[in-house]
Structures are given as C-alpha cells and as structure tokens.
Amino acid sequence: MPAAGSPLLLVVDDEPSNVEVLCDLLEALDYRTVGAGSGEAALAAAGERRPDLVLLDVMMPGMDGYEVCRRLRADPRTAGIPVVFVTALSGNDDKVKGIEAGGDDFLTKPFSRPVLVARIRSLLRMKEAQERLAESYRRLKALEELKDDLTRMVVHDLKSPLTGILGSLELVLDGDAGPLAPEQRRLLDDARERGVDVLRMADNLLDLSRLEESSVRLQPRDLDVARLLREVAGEWHVRAEREGVRLAVEGPAGVGVRADEGMLRRVLANLIGNAVRHGGPGVAVRVSAVPAEGGVKVSVADTGRGVPETEHEAIFRKYGRADAGGTSSGLGLTFCKLAVEAHGGRIWVQSRAGEGAIFHFVLPPRPPEPATASASA
C-alpha cells in the first residue's frame, strides 16, 4: 500500500486492462494512482485530485490525448502537471504533435519498465524543483513588497520634518533671524542644498513606486523643450558655479513635444543634477535638444569621470550605481527610465570610464494612449 504522502499519478487509457496494469506497476513502486477511461474523465480527475503526473494515452474515442493535454495546459490549476504520452504511436509526426500539445515525454508501447520508471522519477524531481523555485519566488516577492511598503511609509513620514527644516533654513537665510556672516551663510546655503537633494531623493522613491505600479496618469500638454531646458538648467546655475562646473544649454527654439511637464522637469533635473553633483571642479555640462523621429531628442553631456561600459544597464536599475564616479543615487536614473518609457520613449547612456558621459532620451511627438503615469499627479 503506497504511503499517504507519496506522489499521485493519473493513468488515462480507454482500455481498462491497460489502466489496471499500469496502476499495479506504479503502486508496487509506492506511487498512489487514480485511473480514467476517457478524456473527459481525465480532465475531471485532474481538476479534482491535482495529480503530480499524468500518464496519457493518445488514441481514445471522443477527446484524444492531444486535446486532453492542451486543455490541461490551458487550465491554471493543472498547467504545471507533467504529462507523459504512453501510446502505440511511434512516428515522428506523432511525437511532434505531442510536444506541440504540451507533453513532457513520449513513450511508445510496448515500453521498457525501467525507462518508464526513470522518466517518471525525473519528471517528478523536476516538478518538485519548479514548485520549490515558485514558492521561493512568491516569498521573495512578498518580502520585496513588504520592504517597498515600509520604505514608502518611512520616506513619506520623513518628508514632513525635512520640509520644516528647509523652511527654517530659508527664514534664516532671508535674514529673519538677524544678519549672517559670510561663512555662516555659506554653510547654511550648503545645508539647504543638501536638504533639497534629500527631498528630491524622497520624491524619486515615492514616484518610482507609483510608476512601477502604473497607479498615476500622464497629464500631457504641448511643451517648448528648449524653454524647459533653460528653466531647469537655470535652477542649477548657482550650484554649478559653486561646484566649479560650467553649465551650458544649446538647442534651437521651437523644439516641441507633447508631454507631462512635471515629469519631464524631474527627468531633466535628475540628469543635470547628477552631472553637477558628481562631475567635480572643471567639468563642463552641456544640455541640448534637437528634433528627432518626429519628436525630440534631449542630451545631457558632461566631461566627468564617465561610466564603465559594463555599468550602462546597472545604473538605470533601482539602487544601481556605477563603480566609477558614483553617477547615480540609485533612484534618479531609475525614475528617468520609467518616466521616459511612460511617454513611449527610451533613454540610454554613451560613455566610457574616464571619457565623460552623454545621457540621451528620445520622446515621441505624443505619449501613447491610454496614458499611464505622472509624477506631477
């Protein structure tokens, strides 16, 4: 008598004697068995009993084995059950049909008992490994979602006191608390800028989650990209001078695109900010926009330390960072990638270590419909 926890095998054949012989053989090997004499009965037994493996005859009246296998694969409850065709058919065309129907193996009658047993054991081991892998993935996914939820909660809670700190710094810098010595003003200016950097990173993280979940929508409007470049670059002009970075904007007026302005500003601010913060004294940063493919191509080039070619994909991944130069905070470039892709565009980097970097992104004339995301919502 097979043990209660041993694998359950479904034997399907329209000849009762064939079912009986196979079941006796398998039970002697400590497998539990259940028999079915037709395709319809096989589908019902598979849905109810969820066997670990199916031994399936092909030539049956009504629904043949190929159709049974196709229906097993189409049902999420039974899609992962290994199927072995056991049949008198031996032609290559028959085997091809079995593979196309979703079968995992094909045994021709009369079959060798050791071969049958070896293939059953192999498929059961593979099924067990796949189930362990799927369970590990589910647990990892749950942990990842928990981590993201906790991170969003912490970041959201930190934004309120951080905003208060920045407001207090603004009041002091405006002279509301009395005159400041030059060195005091320099230190407070630096503290404010670092605080703004942290606030941007917090916004990036929160918006990343929304973009990943596609839970917000684009709010597109017609934009003059050259004007937008000048405005965003202007916001970094003082910081660039303080860091010893030469910042220039190029591009003809009238380069237009239909896009979410708030999101596009954030993309530009991330790219320009990375170049200014990580470039170092003497680095030149050039921002440009040109018509391309009916839309617009924007480039942010710098003469800094560059990005090794092996890191070109990693820096766009969440928490990714180039080994040489610390190009990304690990969030900004991921936000840029998701934001550009939400518009139906693409973003990439041209760079080698020690030779500077050029970040390009291309936007189509208008975002795809239906629109899916917005950082400004």
Side-chain angles (χ1 to χ4, degrees):
M1 176 70 68
S6 60
L8 176 65
L9 310 187
L10 172 60
V11 179
V12 186
D13 199 305
D14 62 316
E15 288 290 338
S17 59
N18 290 341
V19 174
E20 183 178 358
V21 168
L22 265 177
C23 286
D24 289 344
L25 169 62
L26 296 169
E27 288 175 3
L29 296 170
D30 202 31
Y31 293 118
R32 294 178 298 134
T33 64
V34 58
S38 67
E40 292 80 1
L43 293 175
E48 180 182 350
R49 302 291 298 275
R50 307 287 178 85
D52 296 290
L53 183 140
V54 177
L55 295 168
L56 180 60
D57 186 27
V58 172
M59 296 185 297
M60 295 185 294
M63 186 186 303
D64 65 15
Y66 297 133
E67 180 61 22
V68 173
C69 187
R70 280 190 286 268
R71 295 197 184 189
L72 288 172
R73 292 289 175 256
D75 187 339
R77 300 173 302 167
T78 58
I81 300 174
V83 175
V84 179
F85 287 107
V86 182
T87 176
L89 299 174
S90 59
N92 286 334
D93 289 344
D94 300 311
K95 295 179 180 179
V96 169
K97 286 181 67 176
I99 294 171
E100 290 177 343
D104 296 281
D105 211 336
F106 200 101
L107 285 176
T108 302
K109 300 175 182 176
F111 52 81
S112 163
R113 170 177 167 173
V115 170
L116 172 65
V117 172
R119 292 184 176 178
I120 288 174
R121 288 174 175 168
S122 175
L123 288 170
L124 288 175
R125 284 195 300 269
M126 186 180 302
K127 179 176 181 288
E128 183 181 1
Q130 290 173 339
E131 288 174 347
R132 287 199 303 266
L133 182 61
E135 179 61 24
S136 297
Y137 175 77
R138 284 192 292 270
R139 290 180 180 177
L140 181 62
K141 190 72 174 174
L143 288 173
E144 184 74 16
E145 290 174 357
L146 177 61
K147 184 196 74 174
D148 286 345
D149 288 343
L150 289 172
T151 301
R152 285 194 293 267
M153 182 176 65
V154 170
V155 170
H156 187 274
D157 289 346
L158 284 175
K159 283 190 65 178
S160 180
L162 180 58
T163 302
I165 292 170
L166 291 174
S168 297
L169 287 172
E170 289 287 351
L171 290 174
V172 175
L173 287 167
D174 287 343
D176 290 6
L180 296 172
E183 181 63 13
Q184 290 174 322
R185 179 171 294 279
R186 186 189 67 79
L187 291 172
L188 290 172
D189 268 332
D190 187 66
R192 179 185 58 183
E193 288 175 357
R194 303 306 178 206
V196 170
D197 288 343
V198 174
L199 190 59
R200 286 195 183 102
M201 286 189 283
D203 287 336
N204 282 338
L205 185 56
L206 294 175
D207 288 336
L208 270 178
S209 298
R210 293 196 293 166
L211 282 167
E212 289 171 335
E213 297 168 1
S214 298
S215 61
V216 287
R217 298 177 63 86
L218 290 172
Q219 297 178 356
R221 52 176 294 195
D222 293 329
L223 300 175
D224 182 334
V225 178
R227 174 190 61 80
L228 200 60
L229 291 186
R230 289 192 298 272
E231 290 179 1
V232 177
E235 295 170 1
W236 286 92
H237 182 70
V238 174
R239 178 80 172 265
E241 284 189 343
R242 182 173 300 162
E243 300 285 347
V245 174
R246 303 187 305 277
L247 177 59
V249 179
E250 300 175 0
V255 178
V257 72
R258 188 168 181 81
D260 185 306
E261 181 173 0
M263 184 178 288
L264 191 52
R265 281 183 179 273
R266 291 279 301 285
V267 171
L268 292 170
N270 276 311
L271 294 177
I272 295 171
N274 276 341
V276 170
R277 286 194 299 264
H278 303 298
V283 166
V285 177
R286 178 175 54 84
V287 186
S288 61
V290 294
E293 302 174 8
V296 63
K297 177 181 178 181
V298 176
S299 302
V300 178
D302 68 71
T303 59
R305 290 166 286 185
V307 182
E309 291 179 283
T310 55
E311 303 288 344
H312 284 191
E313 292 185 9
I315 60 174
F316 289 103
R317 292 198 293 266
K318 203 171 185 178
Y319 306 116
R321 183 186 292 272
D323 290 336
T327 299
S328 170
S329 68
L331 297 173
L333 290 179
T334 307
F335 171 84
C336 291
K337 181 176 185 295
L338 293 177
V340 168
E341 290 176 352
H343 282 81
R346 63 188 183 95
I347 186 170
W348 71 99
V349 62
Q350 287 180 284
S351 181
R352 292 181 180 177
E355 298 183 11
I358 309 176
F359 286 86
H360 304 281
F361 67 87
V362 173
L363 297 180
R366 60 182 61 250
E369 294 292 344
T372 55
S374 170
S376 57

